[in-house]
Amino acid sequence: QLDPENTGFIGVETFASLVHSHELPLDPAKLDMLVALAQGNDEGQVCYQELVDLISSKRSSSFKRAIANGQRALPRDVLLDETGLGIYKRFVRYVAYEILPCEMDRRWYFYQHRTCPPPVFMAAVTLTQIIVFLCYGARLNKWVLQTYHPEYMKSPLVYHPGHRARAWRFLTYMFMHVGLEQLGFNALLQLMIGVPLEMVHGILRISFLYLAGVLAGSLTVSITDMRAPLVGGSGGVYALCSAHLANVVMNWAGMRCPYKLLRMVLALVCSEYRSQTRSRPCGAPGRAQHLPLCPAVSSEVGRAVWLRFSPPLPASGPQPSFMAHLAGAIVGISMGLTILRSYEESLQDQCGWWVLLLSYGTFLLFAVFWNIFAYDLLGAQIPPPP
């Protein structure tokens, strides 16, 4: 009746009167955003599809415009000035400033945030990794460098080049860790960075990014380091961290997270520290190796390369590969940066997203054929599987 010509548009005044006369149960904030969007175009009309997208909280370009044009629909006070908030609301405010570079995005996220669904993916992954570590620690009575125990590498979760046909190992290796140090840093970063990212961008985007980093890590190892096993969730962790850090750098002026420069340096130094303490048996004799701390990811990768091919101490078996770190970082900087830059815009509307997805799919296809044929064609000397 309101759109007899079936154009998909009605006037904003007609829509407003319809809402008030029928007392429609619409979220007042979303209704204000829709009216602001309608008043921002030349015709002053409400589009039916924009109404559907807004009510369903669908990420779309029209929803993004509604946020930009509807500034008056939100309180003008900055988030930091708000007082009397509960603990959880203060945490949501912290997440908004930690993750989002645009003030309007931060304010909109803060006021429309709901506790359901909770950020369960990163919490569940971290809890599973801890449980697996504790189970193997109790079983082997070894809590520091478990990979130096022969029985540890026999786990059906560890990736080993001799067990490439067991495809689940390309993902499940993320639940196994070299030792307490690697588990501690991975769990800390997953909770400190992964959970806020999941709160803002949703479980689908962050779980896809994390698992893409994990899968890229194992497949890259199978191509570039064909003799090495692989344990640890560093591929996924580096995907999250590199995507977040790249997003901070790309939007440096707009980020309002406290002490952002100091936090960037500490994050990179922690990555360097991880490489210096990895792959050394607890209590083994020998001279300690030292390298100066340098806040650069390239130094972390260089140190990991040195430990992989020239370990400071003799090992009882092949050293776990470092390439998953590098693969995860590449996934984060490329695909992850695209995900994190589009808080309220659908990924399917971005040409760059499809290019990255096609590139990632091509890499997966190449890696599958490599694992099927290349090992036999190249005559790779694979260490016997445990």
Side-chain angles (χ1 to χ4, degrees):
Q1 295 175 351
L2 298 175
D3 184 20
E5 298 180 1
N6 197 25
T7 62
F9 294 86
I10 63 171
V12 63
E13 295 181 357
T14 304
F15 178 76
S17 63
L18 175 69
V19 171
H20 293 301
S21 62
H22 289 271
E23 298 182 353
L24 298 179
L26 298 180
D27 187 339
K30 291 187 176 182
L31 178 59
D32 289 341
M33 300 300 287
L34 185 66
V35 173
L37 175 61
Q39 292 175 347
N41 59 49
D42 296 334
E43 295 81 11
Q45 294 180 324
V46 175
C47 173
Y48 175 75
Q49 188 57 48
E50 289 173 344
L51 171 65
V52 173
D53 292 346
L54 187 64
I55 300 304
S56 62
S57 297
K58 178 183 178 182
R59 292 180 172 94
S60 64
S61 58
S62 62
F63 194 60
K64 185 73 174 179
R65 291 199 309 273
I67 294 175
N69 295 332
Q71 297 186 17
R72 60 185 177 278
L74 297 175
R76 293 188 176 276
D77 297 336
V78 294
L79 302 185
L80 291 178
D81 292 339
E82 295 202 15
T83 59
L85 297 176
I87 296 178
Y88 182 75
K89 266 300 185 180
R90 288 201 297 269
F91 177 67
V92 172
R93 179 175 59 186
Y94 163 80
V95 169
Y97 275 95
E98 179 76 15
I99 302 300
L100 296 171
C102 174
E103 179 64 22
M104 278 310 304
D105 282 350
R106 289 192 287 261
R107 289 163 60 190
W108 176 249
Y109 166 75
F110 179 78
Y111 285 101
Q112 63 88 37
H113 175 74
R114 300 291 183 270
T115 57
C116 187
V120 295
F121 175 76
M122 292 311 309
V125 168
T126 303
L127 180 60
T128 303
Q129 291 171 342
I130 294 174
I131 291 176
V132 170
F133 180 84
L134 293 177
C135 289
Y136 277 93
R139 174 184 172 188
L140 305 177
N141 194 25
K142 195 172 184 65
W143 301 93
V144 182
L145 288 173
Q146 294 181 347
T147 51
Y148 285 85
H149 196 292
E151 293 297 320
Y152 183 81
M153 299 304 292
K154 293 182 180 181
S155 170
L157 303 179
V158 172
Y159 167 79
H160 190 282
H163 292 310
R164 301 186 316 280
R166 302 173 184 178
W168 69 84
R169 291 175 179 254
F170 285 92
L171 282 175
T172 57
Y173 77 92
M174 70 180 185
F175 298 116
M176 309 291 290
H177 284 83
V178 170
L180 186 60
E181 172 266 333
Q182 187 191 35
L183 172 67
F185 273 102
N186 281 351
L188 183 65
L189 292 175
Q190 285 171 179
L191 295 177
M192 291 186 62
I193 296 179
V195 169
L197 287 176
E198 187 178 347
M199 290 177 62
V200 173
H201 296 282
I203 185 173
L204 292 180
R205 294 187 177 205
I206 299 306
S207 61
F208 178 82
L209 176 59
Y210 184 88
L211 295 177
V214 170
L215 186 57
S218 57
L219 291 176
T220 300
V221 169
S222 70
I223 295 173
T224 62
D225 202 357
M226 300 169 65
R227 291 176 48 85
L230 188 61
V231 294
S234 296
V237 170
Y238 268 60
L240 295 178
C241 292
S242 61
H244 177 56
L245 294 180
N247 189 47
V248 171
V249 172
M250 292 289 292
N251 301 279
W252 188 261
M255 298 301 295
R256 292 292 181 268
C257 49
Y259 310 108
K260 57 185 176 182
L261 180 59
L262 177 62
R263 289 145 57 92
M264 287 280 291
V265 173
L266 289 177
L268 295 174
V269 167
C270 285
S271 295
E272 171 65 13
Y273 171 76
R274 290 179 62 192
S275 70
Q276 295 186 51
T277 56
R278 187 172 58 244
S279 300
R280 185 178 172 196
C282 178
R287 182 172 57 89
Q289 302 291 329
H290 298 281
L291 283 180
L293 290 178
C294 176
V297 175
S298 58
S299 64
E300 196 275 342
V301 176
R303 174 66 170 169
V305 172
W306 181 74
L307 285 174
R308 168 64 181 91
F309 294 106
S310 299
L313 297 170
S316 60
Q319 297 289 314
S321 179
F322 65 92
M323 288 302 296
H325 301 72
L326 183 59
I330 294 175
V331 169
I333 293 175
S334 56
M335 186 181 299
L337 187 57
T338 302
I339 292 176
L340 302 191
R341 288 177 60 186
S342 54
Y343 162 58
E344 288 297 348
E345 186 174 355
S346 176
L347 291 175
Q348 64 184 7
D349 296 333
Q350 303 181 55
C351 179
W353 165 249
W354 292 106
V355 173
L356 291 172
L357 203 59
L358 179 61
S359 301
Y360 187 77
T362 303
F363 165 73
L364 293 184
L365 188 62
F366 170 78
V368 169
F369 279 97
W370 178 277
N371 278 274
I372 294 176
F373 301 109
Y375 279 76
D376 293 333
L377 293 177
L378 297 177
Q381 300 297 320
I382 303 175

